[in-house]
Amino acid sequence: MKKAIFVLYFLLFFCRSLFADVAIFAYLNKNKITIGDNIKLTINLEYTNDVKISSAVFENNLKNFEIKDYKFSQGRKKYVLFGRYVKKYEYLLSTFTTGIYPISPFSISFTNPAGIIAQAQTQPLKIEVVSLLDKESVADIKDIKPPVNVKSKSFLYLLSILLLIFLAIFLQKFFHKDLPSVILSEIIDPYKYAVGELAKLESANLIKEGKIKEFFIILTRIVRIYLSKIFEVDIIDMTTSEAIRALREKNADKKFLMDLREFFNFADLVKFAKYIPDEKETIFNLETAKNLIESVRPLPPKISETKNGVKQ
């Protein structure tokens, strides 16, 4: 039944347009767009060859849109048998504001064969312009995944420790990069080397000049170079923990290692944590470095005497 009604309406509409002096139709390629999309409006004007068409101005009905392009075709015969002509007006429209925009009926005036001025018009149209983030579009946008919940606190602790270790290695290498390189094999007498370098450090007056961090960088490096030669393991660029572990594996005395760790930890505060000790603390650590060097000083070779009193 519905199909029959639709066919009937179509036939009536077709016959009306076919036998009317002038018929005008307007349609859109789509009724709903998003901001910035293009929409095509087509206006068809059909008329007989014995009517006079007034000039058509349809742009006044499109003030809510940006006309990006347009095209008009010349009148041509459509139904040869009935002597009818058709003109086509095409507009490419766009807009950047949301809302529902009604388009008023397009009308055109003409003079029929009897000399009477008449008017024909289209049906009204409506365009809905929606945002890119409307409900239909949002459905295609997936939310950011929630952060991973780490249940094990031990994992966080382990990660923090590893980051601190890497940071300490980086900072230690960074602060040592401007110091002169030392080839351990070229140091014949490590004790003489350490005593000489400590004397140079004291005479440099870094403490008086307030260059405390530079003082501790050089001081700890002297100690590290000295211990590297004494224990035959390179701890120059190791972290404090790595250096203590390496010396422990070389059977260093426990009391010595405790004092050395305390000395290195205090120096790390100055070098990396921006702690500024006073002059008394600085001199105390200088003396501590000297005591550490003395505590592992190699014993001089024993000199034995022969029965003839000749030293060997």
Side-chain angles (χ1 to χ4, degrees):
M1 183 65 180
K2 290 183 178 180
K3 289 184 178 180
I5 295 174
F6 175 78
V7 172
L8 180 61
Y9 272 114
F10 175 78
L11 290 174
L12 290 173
F13 182 77
F14 175 77
C15 291
R16 178 191 169 196
S17 64
L18 189 61
F19 294 105
D21 293 325
V22 175
I24 184 170
F25 315 99
Y27 56 91
L28 301 164
N29 65 331
K30 47 189 173 182
N31 295 317
K32 185 176 182 179
I33 61 171
T34 56
I35 289 178
D37 281 352
N38 294 332
I39 189 168
K40 184 179 179 181
L41 167 67
T42 303
I43 302 173
N44 282 340
L45 174 62
E46 296 183 8
Y47 56 94
T48 59
N49 60 354
D50 53 359
V51 299
K52 184 178 180 181
I53 303 294
S54 302
S55 58
V57 180
F58 301 131
E59 288 80 1
N60 291 335
N61 295 38
L62 304 174
K63 292 181 179 179
N64 291 325
F65 301 92
E66 175 187 354
I67 301 176
K68 304 185 73 173
D69 194 13
Y70 60 89
K71 182 171 61 176
F72 305 148
S73 66
Q74 297 295 326
R76 60 182 179 84
K77 281 190 175 183
K78 182 178 181 182
Y79 305 110
V80 178
L81 181 63
F82 299 99
R84 296 183 67 81
Y85 293 81
V86 62
K87 265 188 175 183
K88 183 179 288 188
Y89 302 81
E90 294 177 319
Y91 295 90
L92 191 64
L93 309 175
S94 183
T95 183
F96 290 90
T97 55
T98 60
I100 297 176
Y101 295 93
I103 300 178
S104 303
F106 298 99
S107 60
I108 191 166
S109 299
F110 64 94
T111 304
N112 63 17
I116 300 173
I117 298 176
Q119 191 177 65
Q121 67 178 20
T122 68
Q123 73 281 13
L125 300 174
K126 182 176 67 175
I127 299 177
E128 182 180 0
V129 183
V130 297
S131 168
L132 292 172
L133 297 178
D134 68 336
K135 292 183 179 179
E136 293 183 6
S137 299
V138 169
D140 297 330
I141 302 175
K142 295 183 179 180
D143 195 7
I144 299 174
K145 290 184 178 181
V148 177
N149 183 18
V150 181
K151 296 181 179 179
S152 175
K153 291 185 178 180
S154 60
F155 174 77
L156 291 177
Y157 293 147
L158 178 61
L159 183 61
S160 300
I161 292 172
L162 290 174
L163 289 175
L164 289 174
I165 291 174
F166 285 123
L167 179 62
I169 293 173
F170 169 77
L171 291 175
Q172 193 158 11
K173 290 183 180 294
F174 176 80
F175 283 113
H176 288 168
K177 66 180 181 180
D178 294 330
L179 295 176
S181 59
V182 175
I183 301 176
L184 294 177
S185 60
E186 295 181 354
I187 300 176
I188 306 301
D189 188 340
Y191 180 77
K192 183 178 179 180
Y193 167 83
V195 172
E197 292 298 314
L198 287 175
K200 291 180 184 178
L201 178 60
E202 288 186 83
S203 63
N205 291 323
L206 294 178
I207 300 176
K208 298 294 183 182
E209 295 175 3
K211 299 179 180 179
I212 306 301
K213 183 167 70 173
E214 290 84 344
F215 178 87
F216 273 89
I217 290 173
I218 298 173
L219 179 63
T220 53
R221 187 169 175 82
I222 294 171
V223 174
R224 285 173 176 273
I225 292 172
Y226 175 75
L227 296 179
S228 296
K229 287 294 293 183
I230 295 298
F231 290 95
E232 298 181 347
V233 56
D234 189 351
I235 65 167
I236 296 175
D237 293 322
M238 289 185 181
T239 63
T240 296
S241 298
E242 290 173 339
I244 297 299
R245 184 167 56 251
L247 295 177
R248 185 183 297 116
E249 292 175 357
K250 291 291 183 175
N251 299 318
D253 181 72
K254 291 183 179 179
K255 176 65 169 58
F256 168 79
L257 291 177
M258 290 176 59
D259 294 340
L260 181 64
R261 181 187 291 275
E262 186 177 349
F263 169 73
F264 279 162
N265 285 340
F266 185 88
D268 288 343
L269 289 175
V270 179
K271 293 188 293 183
F272 307 130
K274 297 183 179 181
Y275 175 72
I276 302 177
D278 56 27
E279 184 175 348
K280 184 178 179 180
E281 288 178 303
T282 304
I283 294 175
F284 174 80
N285 277 273
L286 174 61
E287 295 302 320
T288 300
K290 292 179 180 180
N291 292 335
L292 289 170
I293 290 172
E294 289 290 342
S295 65
V296 291
R297 178 183 178 182
L299 295 175
K302 292 182 179 180
I303 300 176
S304 60
E305 294 184 359
T306 63
K307 293 181 179 180
N308 297 326
V310 179
K311 295 182 180 180
Q312 296 181 345

